[in-house]
Amino acid sequence: MPVVVHGFAPTAEGLHTLAGLAVRYPGVPLIVSQLGGLNWMTAIELARDTPNMYLELSTANVIFAVKLAVQELPERTLFGSDAPYGDPVLARATVERVTPPGELRDLVLGGTLGRLLGIL
């Protein structure tokens, strides 16, 4: 079962701690929500190097951050909107803006999560 952690609040040091936990428990998918908040570059780098670490995209405040996360981690980036605080339509439009129609977009918008949960 995946573990989801609130990702906006951690410092870069906190993200390193989370990555260390992911390395310690390689059989547990660790989902960092909100793309690591203001530390999105660190979150992407750590997730890229940690095979069981995933990034959820809600509240990403820079579209380039979403694009980079999807490019670096195409099978470990998950759609999120942070509803009711975020707008699901705008969050989806962001993903659609940075992905071409097809398999990659389908993975980000739900396919990867479905696989993690064993429902796809």
Side-chain angles (χ1 to χ4, degrees):
M1 182 62 72
V3 173
V4 180
V5 295
H6 192 272
F8 196 84
T11 61
E13 181 181 338
L15 289 168
H16 280 275
T17 299
L18 291 172
L21 286 170
V23 168
R24 187 171 176 188
Y25 300 98
V28 178
L30 176 69
I31 301 170
V32 176
S33 71
Q34 300 179 327
L35 196 52
L38 299 176
N39 295 295
W40 58 269
M41 288 180 70
T42 300
I44 292 169
E45 290 170 359
L46 290 169
R48 185 187 58 219
D49 297 335
T50 311
N52 60 318
M53 199 168 167
Y54 294 74
L55 297 176
E56 182 266 337
L57 299 172
S58 68
T59 70
N61 55 3
V62 178
I63 196 160
F64 176 72
V66 174
K67 183 177 184 173
L68 185 61
V70 171
Q71 284 177 344
E72 292 291 320
L73 304 157
E75 295 182 351
R76 291 188 283 132
T77 304
L78 309 169
F79 171 78
S81 69
D82 204 32
Y85 306 106
D87 185 325
V89 173
L90 291 176
R92 182 180 176 115
T94 299
V95 170
E96 290 173 345
R97 178 73 174 115
V98 301
T99 58
E103 183 180 354
L104 175 59
R105 183 182 290 174
D106 293 344
L107 283 172
V108 174
L109 291 177
T112 298
L113 182 59
R115 289 179 187 167
L116 278 175
L117 297 176
I119 58 177
L120 289 181

